[in-house]
Amino acid sequence: MIIRDGHIHTPFCPHGSADTLASYCEQAISLGLKTITFAEHAPLPAGFSDPTPNQDSAMAASDLNAYLQETRAIKKEYAHALDVLIGLEVDYIFGYEAETKALLNEVGPSLDDSILSVHFLKVGSHYRCIDYSPEEFAAIAADLGSTNALYALYYDTVLASICADLGPYKPKRIGHITLCKKFQKLYQAEQSFGQEIGAILAAIHENGLQLDYNYAGLTKPYCGESYPPKEIALQAKTMGIPLVYGSDAHSAAGLRMF
């Protein structure tokens, strides 16, 4: 029985909904959850320009204090019925480790929980967002030479995130490690990448980290499976890696069990 959802977004997400923190809490209680983590997209590192058209991938730096204040307040308000953890989903961006470490050193003491995820890849001299749209995914794959090459770069970047020195407040959970499969029904890789996945799981285990068992992929029309899929989750469990269910909800209604 699932009693914890470790990956929930908030009205501070510029590409999410305006649903209130309280509405998420009420939905969690109705589902029988005991613990939730609000894990809003952390502000992108200083000097990094969001490559998405609307530049709406993450919370604005100017909203961070308000986010912390409001999550503290809701944590207190619902303490009688729900354990609310204050967290962030932090982007690992290759080449911006120092800036990310600085952000974590600043905000880390205020957090109960956090997730480290890869959404952006460095392609040549530019950064690209792999999960923005099928069209952008296809364009990135074309620039790299193939879907296989995109997957390979994604998994290499996930492995780099696990091994990166991001300081004492580095997130303890690695997010959606197979996000590159979001559009797999349109653009399939010709390899299984089992060796790369194995290296990622080994690094998670060696570093004492958790794995985000993210169910958002089941709601995506061109994916149809969790991130990671069940067989990889079972492999991780066999290795002793803690799995934390995450709905990755961007609305109160999106907070659900599968």
Side-chain angles (χ1 to χ4, degrees), residues 38 45 59 65 119 139 147 163 191 196 228 243 256:
F38 285 121
M59 174 171 44
N65 285 336
H119 299 92
T147 299
C163 301
Q191 299 172 221
E196 288 80 1
L243 303 175
R256 53 180 171 148

Side-chain angles (χ1 to χ4, degrees), residues 83-178:
D83 186 15
V84 176
L85 303 182
I86 301 169
L88 288 171
E89 181 177 11
V90 178
D91 271 287
Y92 173 77
I93 303 173
F94 182 79
Y96 282 83
E97 291 84 355
E99 293 85 350
T100 302
K101 185 175 182 179
L103 172 66
L104 287 167
N105 284 340
E106 175 187 350
V107 73
S110 299
L111 303 179
D112 303 313
D113 191 20
S114 55
I115 301 167
L116 186 65
S117 298
V118 172
H119 299 92
F120 303 101
L121 298 181
K122 189 174 186 182
V123 180
S125 59
H126 299 283
Y127 290 90
R128 311 281 287 275
C129 182
I130 67 159
D131 64 324
Y132 177 75
S133 70
E135 295 77 17
E136 176 63 3
F137 183 95
I140 298 169
D143 286 348
L144 288 169
S146 66
T147 299
N148 278 0
L150 191 160
Y151 274 48
L153 179 57
Y154 176 79
Y155 289 132
D156 282 349
T157 307
V158 171
L159 184 59
S161 76
I162 297 164
C163 301
D165 176 11
L166 299 180
Y169 299 105
K170 179 178 179 175
K172 299 296 188 289
R173 186 154 66 261
I174 303 301
H176 45 58
I177 64 168
T178 57

Side-chain angles (χ1 to χ4, degrees), residues 3-240:
I3 60 172
R4 176 185 180 187
D5 188 330
H7 194 153
I8 299 172
H9 290 276
T10 73
F12 286 89
C13 179
H15 60 265
S17 73
D19 290 352
T20 64
L21 296 177
S23 68
Y24 283 97
C25 290
E26 292 294 339
Q27 175 74 350
I29 292 167
S30 74
L31 293 170
L33 292 170
K34 303 300 181 185
T35 304
I36 64 171
T37 297
F38 285 121
E40 195 47 78
H41 294 285
L44 296 173
F48 180 80
S49 180
D50 185 350
T52 63
N54 295 323
Q55 296 194 313
D56 61 353
S57 296
M59 174 171 44
S62 57
D63 285 338
L64 182 56
N65 285 336
Y67 170 74
L68 294 173
Q69 290 172 4
E70 292 191 25
T71 49
R72 285 190 201 108
I74 208 77
K75 177 185 178 79
K76 183 176 180 181
E77 180 180 348
Y78 278 87
H80 66 287
L82 189 65
D83 186 15
V84 176
L85 303 182
I86 301 169
L88 288 171
E89 181 177 11
V90 178
D91 271 287
Y92 173 77
I93 303 173
F94 182 79
Y96 282 83
E97 291 84 355
E99 293 85 350
T100 302
K101 185 175 182 179
L103 172 66
L104 287 167
N105 284 340
E106 175 187 350
V107 73
S110 299
L111 303 179
D112 303 313
D113 191 20
S114 55
I115 301 167
L116 186 65
S117 298
V118 172
H119 299 92
F120 303 101
L121 298 181
K122 189 174 186 182
V123 180
S125 59
H126 299 283
Y127 290 90
R128 311 281 287 275
C129 182
I130 67 159
D131 64 324
Y132 177 75
S133 70
E135 295 77 17
E136 176 63 3
F137 183 95
I140 298 169
D143 286 348
L144 288 169
S146 66
T147 299
N148 278 0
L150 191 160
Y151 274 48
L153 179 57
Y154 176 79
Y155 289 132
D156 282 349
T157 307
V158 171
L159 184 59
S161 76
I162 297 164
C163 301
D165 176 11
L166 299 180
Y169 299 105
K170 179 178 179 175
K172 299 296 188 289
R173 186 154 66 261
I174 303 301
H176 45 58
I177 64 168
T178 57
L179 183 65
C180 59
K181 300 177 75 176
K182 181 175 179 178
F183 306 114
Q184 64 178 340
K185 292 181 181 180
L186 296 176
Y187 311 107
Q188 286 194 342
E190 297 171 354
Q191 299 172 221
S192 67
F193 291 94
Q195 184 174 344
E196 288 80 1
I197 292 292
I200 287 169
L201 294 181
I204 289 173
H205 182 260
E206 289 167 10
N207 286 276
L209 302 174
Q210 305 166 345
L211 181 62
D212 174 40
Y213 194 12
N214 189 307
Y215 274 60
L218 289 167
T219 71
K220 307 303 180 184
Y222 302 123
C223 182
E225 66 183 25
S226 55
Y227 309 127
K230 184 177 179 180
E231 59 271 18
I232 295 174
L234 290 174
Q235 182 181 352
K237 186 176 181 180
T238 300
M239 295 171 67

Side-chain angles (χ1 to χ4, degrees), residues 247-258:
S247 64
D248 207 346
H250 284 69
S251 67
L255 203 174
R256 53 180 171 148
M257 302 299 149
F258 292 85

